[in-house]
Amino acid sequence: MADTVMILATGGTIAGTEDKNYASGYEPGVLSVDELIKDASLSEICNIRTSQICNINSDDITSSIWIGLAKKIDELSEDDTIKGFVITHGTDTLEETAFFLKHTVKTGKPVVITGSMKPADSKETDGPLNLYDAVKVAYDDSSSGRGVIVTFAGKIYSAAFVYKAKTDDVDAFGSYPQKILGTVEKGNVSYLQTKDKSDYNGTYFDIKGISSLPKVNIYKFNVDADPEILKMMADRSDGLILEGAGAGEYSKDLIRLMEGLSIPVVICSRSVNGYVSPGDLLNKNTVAGYSFSSQKAAILLRLALTVSCDIGFLRYIFSITAG
Ligand code: ASP
């Protein structure tokens, strides 16, 4: 009988404790997962099992941790007693881990990621409630088949659209271009959106035989941006993301330099609610990044490059996954 939620802990502020020696006033990734769940009343929801994946600041997450985590989730999902997964994570790169897992794990069981903005021993900590909500969502029948989701401050987000929007508010996340998926209030899970094409998990990529990802870096355009820096980045990368102004625009000098590049370049917008369509592209040899932030586009490009560097294929992947 599927009566268990598996908690996979990676660290972050939710496992952090106050410490004046740190610039932020606390150290992330200190408490173990078993310490985290001690007072969280989770056993009133379902059985809980735990695994400590790592215990770090999420700015130190690596793609090899992602690959290991995705493989572990798919292995564990064969266990019939597990109904869903909760991942505890730092908020800084939470959207990247969520997006990577969305495109790689195959299970239809709920995979829910959460964290907190205040450390575990702060009087105002938001960690225990976010963790409780995440377990509720992971254990709820209506969460299956929705892909990887994020719960934070009572809201449920699709990994496709979630992003960290604020740095000084416990309601720290936003959703773009689609709205939030639902809410979890006083333990009641309610979905506002029906399942749609963005709810699939891992349809296009198979990481079973993969132990590392191609290298993709992000170049942000600004006034007087130095084209030589882009060239240096291209020399050290398998692909690039160019974050352009407005609908993905950049200077004539950069257009000229880009003509000679032989690696794929995806064009995103530096506008907060930006969008780059194929018709906006200034260089013929580039790929439209649509509504993807540059950090999500980088993950999608890294995954796509594990399959092919053909520009037609890359354009196809970006067009069908864009929201
Ligand atoms: N730097 C922390 C982390 O991402 C911030 C947080 O968790 O809120 O691990």
Side-chain angles (χ1 to χ4, degrees), residues 3-7 46-49 83-86 135 138-139:
D3 59 359
T4 300
V5 165
M6 181 85 199
I7 301 181
C46 60
N47 283 337
I48 299 291
R49 269 167 62 193
K83 187 154 185 205
F85 298 87
V86 166
V135 172
Y139 197 63

Side-chain angles (χ1 to χ4, degrees), residues 12-13 26 28 57-59 90-92 116-117 164:
T13 299
Y26 69 92
N57 184 340
S58 76
D59 302 292
T91 59
D92 287 349
S116 78
M117 292 296 282
K164 186 170 180 178

